[in-house]
Amino acid sequence: MATTLVSIALPALAGPVTESFSGAAYASDGNQLLYRETHYLFSGDHGGERVVLYQCPDGRAFARKRSRDDGNAQAPDFDLVDARVGYREGVRRNGNQREVYVQRTSAQPEQADALRLPADGVIDTGFEAFARLH
């Protein structure tokens, strides 16, 4: 397991941190902490960015997600990396189109396909913007 992803997750972002908040996930009985996540929101000239760090109960980071809003807050591009097995998934621009991708382990090749998003479609952290709008 990676000792920390902070050095990967937080450098060279589009602007200053404008907000941060944390949450904790517990087992269904409510007694066992499964993981914590901290969201860092950044503002910038080209829309907002968000970095989410996922941490084990002992504080070691095991994953990070970075999302970028370039004009459609409810359908941002994002990249999730889980360092435990080298898992990656996300949505990104490829020319004028968008694509969804996944890499199940670091030893497997990435798979990608075109994404046809409906006009009111929602992607990942964009659910928050969708909920606020509706």
Side-chain angles (χ1 to χ4, degrees):
M1 182 180 297
T3 56
T4 182
L5 292 178
V6 173
S7 62
I8 295 171
L10 297 178
L13 291 166
V17 173
T18 57
E19 182 180 353
S20 66
F21 53 91
S22 298
Y26 288 88
S28 60
D29 65 7
N31 294 324
Q32 180 186 1
L33 176 64
L34 301 175
Y35 68 91
R36 297 181 199 283
E37 61 183 69
T38 302
H39 296 244
Y40 299 92
L41 306 178
F42 300 83
S43 63
D45 296 335
H46 305 291
E49 292 189 54
R50 175 188 305 237
V51 172
V52 184
L53 293 180
Y54 299 89
Q55 296 174 290
C56 299
D58 67 6
R60 291 179 296 157
F62 66 88
R64 69 107 177 105
K65 178 172 28 181
R66 184 174 178 183
S67 65
R68 293 164 295 289
D69 166 17
D70 63 357
N72 183 353
Q74 74 181 38
D77 288 350
F78 80 95
D79 181 59
L80 170 73
V81 177
D82 186 329
R84 295 173 295 183
V85 295
Y87 178 86
R88 291 181 54 238
E89 70 175 44
V91 171
R92 64 184 169 215
R93 298 214 175 273
N94 187 0
N96 291 334
Q97 298 184 2
R98 297 180 79 191
E99 63 185 12
V100 60
Y101 62 91
V102 66
Q103 183 177 10
R104 299 192 191 290
T105 70
S106 57
Q108 294 180 322
E110 179 184 286
Q111 299 171 303
D113 202 359
L115 176 64
R116 289 167 187 78
L117 188 68
D120 205 21
V122 175
I123 296 174
D124 199 68
T125 58
F127 183 75
E128 182 180 335
F130 176 83
R132 288 181 187 190
L133 185 63
H134 299 311

